[in-house]
Amino acid sequence: MLIDERAALGARRCGQQARLFVEADRLALRPRLRGELSDAQTAGVRLDLPAHRKVYGRPMHAPRITVLTVPDCPNAPLALERITAALDGREADVELVEVRDEAEAARWGMTGSPTVLLDGADPFAAPGAPVSVSCRLYRDEEGRAAGAPGVEALRKALALDAEDTVRAAYPFSAVETPHRVKLGNGVEAWSMCAIDALGVAAMLDQDIQVTSADPVSGHPVTVSFISGSARWEPAGAVVFVGRRPGQGPAADVCCDALNFFADRSTAETWARRHPDVPGRITGQAEAVALAVQTFGPLLAED
């Protein structure tokens, strides 16, 4: 691992100082301090972000992994060990952040120690889990409890395909999905789910257009963000917010259960056809608010 004692991106965003900045070393996986990067060495995300929101120091495909722990958490080393095993030499930025009280935990979205965030999102989050600075347990496929996510669960959360290439970097997907996002500069990309797509405008602070389709009727659904305001077509469109039972990365348990519908009736039809997927139908304002809450702070200024 590469360990750099400096404030990491996520910690600076919340006004906190991260104790360690940890980055997987593709070649040796040995601890060493990383020196400061010169301007010539930095590489910006290729989505034409505003200058004050450029993300530097890693290629676009390299995930950012944040491990939130309470001080002296006995499971922090286990979490880092399993993350290293899951990465298996791939490049990533991994930061270890100590959270000391519930107010700080709330800012991070921490629901127990350790909490693992992938590009700012908790892929193992249980619906309705309260903010907590207590110990957090994870269960494997056989239901056995452990102090950190399993290696295979982390690999799935990192969205690696059979060729070990990254399939997704929340909220974006490297493979085709039903949800297409067109940025204000003309760049187009797929998003992992409906909520992810709605969060892109706030995350990138620019106008976007989201196009999707009702999975029941096939009717197109479009959401245009202009100067922070959302215009929905058709006017009665809604979003179903669901999650499959069990634990696992969001790509497996949530993404196909978070969809746009042209109206409430088709959303109700889909819910009846999928009794195994608990969830609820949300109106437009609530769906946008949920998306902004989830993705709006990810690239915020220091």
Side-chain angles (χ1 to χ4, degrees):
M1 309 287 288
L2 301 184
I3 301 177
D4 184 1
E5 288 219 36
R6 61 184 177 88
L9 174 63
R12 293 200 308 271
R13 181 176 68 246
C14 293
Q16 303 295 322
Q17 290 293 319
R19 227 180 224 189
L20 299 177
F21 180 88
V22 187
E23 182 183 61
D25 184 341
R26 291 179 295 174
L27 301 178
L29 290 178
R30 296 172 183 167
R32 68 176 175 85
L33 287 177
R34 187 175 72 176
E36 292 295 325
L37 296 177
S38 68
D39 290 340
Q41 292 172 304
T42 57
V45 171
R46 293 178 294 172
L47 288 174
D48 193 24
L49 306 185
H52 65 278
R53 294 192 176 186
K54 294 289 186 182
V55 179
Y56 295 109
R58 63 189 172 98
M60 183 179 178
H61 67 274
R64 176 168 54 86
I65 305 173
T66 307
V67 182
L68 306 174
T69 73
V70 297
D72 302 318
C73 174
N75 292 318
L78 176 63
L80 292 174
E81 176 185 330
R82 290 184 173 180
I83 288 169
T84 301
L87 288 169
D88 193 24
R90 297 171 197 85
E91 185 174 358
D93 290 344
V94 185
E95 55 179 316
L96 179 65
V97 179
E98 286 191 354
V99 177
R100 298 180 179 274
D101 55 49
E102 289 198 359
E104 193 175 349
R107 288 194 294 270
W108 281 100
M110 175 178 173
T111 58
S113 179
T115 287
V116 179
L117 305 181
L118 301 184
D119 288 321
D122 182 354
F124 305 102
V131 168
S132 174
V133 290
S134 61
C135 289
R136 178 172 175 177
L137 293 178
Y138 296 81
R139 296 192 179 276
D140 61 18
E141 290 79 0
E142 285 74 40
R144 295 171 298 192
V151 173
E152 187 57 33
L154 286 164
R155 284 180 54 81
K156 290 181 179 180
L158 287 164
L160 297 171
D161 63 18
E163 287 74 39
D164 287 339
T165 58
V166 175
R167 291 190 293 111
Y170 299 102
F172 296 105
S173 173
V175 297
E176 184 174 355
T177 73
H179 318 291
R180 189 76 172 172
V181 179
K182 183 176 182 180
L183 306 183
N185 59 8
V187 172
E188 296 189 357
W190 289 290
S191 192
M192 296 290 289
C193 70
I195 296 298
D196 290 16
L198 293 175
V200 171
M203 187 181 78
L204 300 186
D205 191 23
Q206 63 175 266
D207 295 345
I208 70 166
Q209 183 180 72
V210 177
T211 57
S212 188
D214 186 317
V216 173
S217 67
H219 194 289
V221 177
T222 302
V223 185
S224 301
F225 287 85
I226 302 175
S227 299
S229 297
R231 177 183 177 185
W232 294 64
E233 296 180 6
V238 297
V239 174
F240 183 84
V241 178
R243 178 187 172 94
R244 297 187 180 280
Q247 296 184 338
D252 291 343
V253 300
C254 290
C255 286
D256 68 339
L258 296 161
N259 289 302
F260 294 100
F261 291 87
D263 56 51
R264 181 171 288 271
S265 65
T266 55
E268 291 172 345
T269 298
W270 190 93
R272 287 195 298 270
R273 293 177 181 175
H274 298 83
D276 57 320
V277 182
R280 59 192 177 89
I281 300 170
T282 66
Q284 298 170 6
E286 184 181 356
V288 171
L290 178 59
V292 171
Q293 177 184 4
T294 303
F295 293 101
L298 291 189
L299 298 180
E301 294 183 73
D302 295 354

